[in-house]
Amino acid sequence: MNAAIYPGSFDPLTLGHLDVIKRASQMFDTLTVSVLDNKAKNALFSVEERVSILRRATEDLQNVTVDSFNGLLIDYAKQKDIHISVRGLRAITDFEYELQIAQTNRKLSNGKLDTVFLTTSLEYAYLSSSSVKEIASFNGDISQCVPDFVVELVYKKFNNIER
Ligand code: PNS
């Protein structure tokens, strides 16, 4: 079976992430979207909240499951018996970071975990979870950036009234 993992922070899920999820779900038999449980990172949403948001956003995609992990991606992938990691590439600025992670994972796993990159659709190339948080913190409009039901959830975190 052709299975893949899409790992990430998803804090919060953006339309760019969702676009990668939808496209990857058509390329693989199963896609496991997995939220990194990184205690060191000061996240806006808890891991449970992010998992719940992802589940709701992907409920129509039959071959997508949502999970969380901690520790090394290669260990999690081995445990799941998955050999492909999917990542989105927005621009050249992502490339160095992504190349390093992909090569590290391939080396550390003795070639058992490879990475497939999907270039982000142009309409989402500017999007990042960090910019969504910054815009929302100043009560800016994030309706073009995240799924509709996520807009209110993000504003609530910043105690803003939904626009
Ligand atoms: O959405 P993000 O924050 O860019 O995702 C980064 C992620 C989760 C893919 C990456 O940080 C990761 O896989 N972390 C788990 C720890 C690990 O395996 N590190 C080794 C690669 S350098």
Side-chain angles (χ1 to χ4, degrees):
M1 183 156 61
N2 205 358
I5 302 177
Y6 179 23
S9 300
F10 305 107
D11 186 44
L13 170 73
T14 66
L15 291 174
H17 294 133
L18 198 53
D19 174 58
V20 170
I21 292 171
K22 285 179 181 163
R23 286 160 58 208
S25 74
Q26 289 168 3
M27 292 172 189
F28 299 98
D29 296 326
T30 65
L31 180 71
T32 304
V33 182
S34 204
V35 178
L36 175 67
D37 186 357
N38 186 352
K39 303 269 187 276
K41 249 189 182 179
N42 215 350
L44 185 64
F45 288 92
S46 70
V47 173
E48 294 73 23
E49 288 171 323
R50 284 178 269 163
V51 165
S52 154
I53 288 170
L54 276 160
R55 288 210 171 116
R56 184 164 165 197
T58 58
E59 62 193 2
D60 293 341
L61 304 170
Q62 303 305 320
N63 62 341
V64 173
T65 51
V66 181
D67 193 15
S68 62
F69 75 105
N70 48 42
L72 289 178
L73 180 65
I74 56 158
D75 292 334
Y76 173 72
K78 189 177 176 189
Q79 180 197 321
K80 293 253 165 201
D81 196 24
I82 297 178
H83 305 281
I84 299 169
S85 168
V86 172
R87 295 282 291 167
L89 273 183
R90 287 167 301 190
I92 194 75
T93 42
D94 282 341
F95 184 73
E96 214 171 322
Y97 170 68
E98 294 296 340
L99 182 73
Q100 190 192 1
I101 295 183
Q103 288 179 335
T104 304
N105 285 336
R106 189 145 177 263
K107 183 80 182 160
L108 282 181
S109 67
N110 292 318
K112 294 209 169 68
L113 184 65
D114 222 325
T115 304
V116 167
F117 293 108
L118 292 188
T119 53
T120 308
S121 298
L122 280 179
E123 68 251 56
Y124 305 128
Y126 67 96
L127 267 181
S128 74
S129 295
S130 311
S131 57
V132 168
K133 284 183 273 198
E134 182 159 349
I135 295 164
S137 74
F138 294 112
N139 205 20
D141 182 3
I142 56 166
S143 62
Q144 309 285 313
C145 307
V146 298
D148 288 347
F149 76 94
V150 179
V151 171
E152 199 184 342
L153 298 174
V154 175
Y155 285 134
K156 261 191 203 154
K157 290 282 179 188
F158 291 104
N159 290 322
N160 292 329
I161 296 154
E162 198 194 346
R163 293 159 62 100

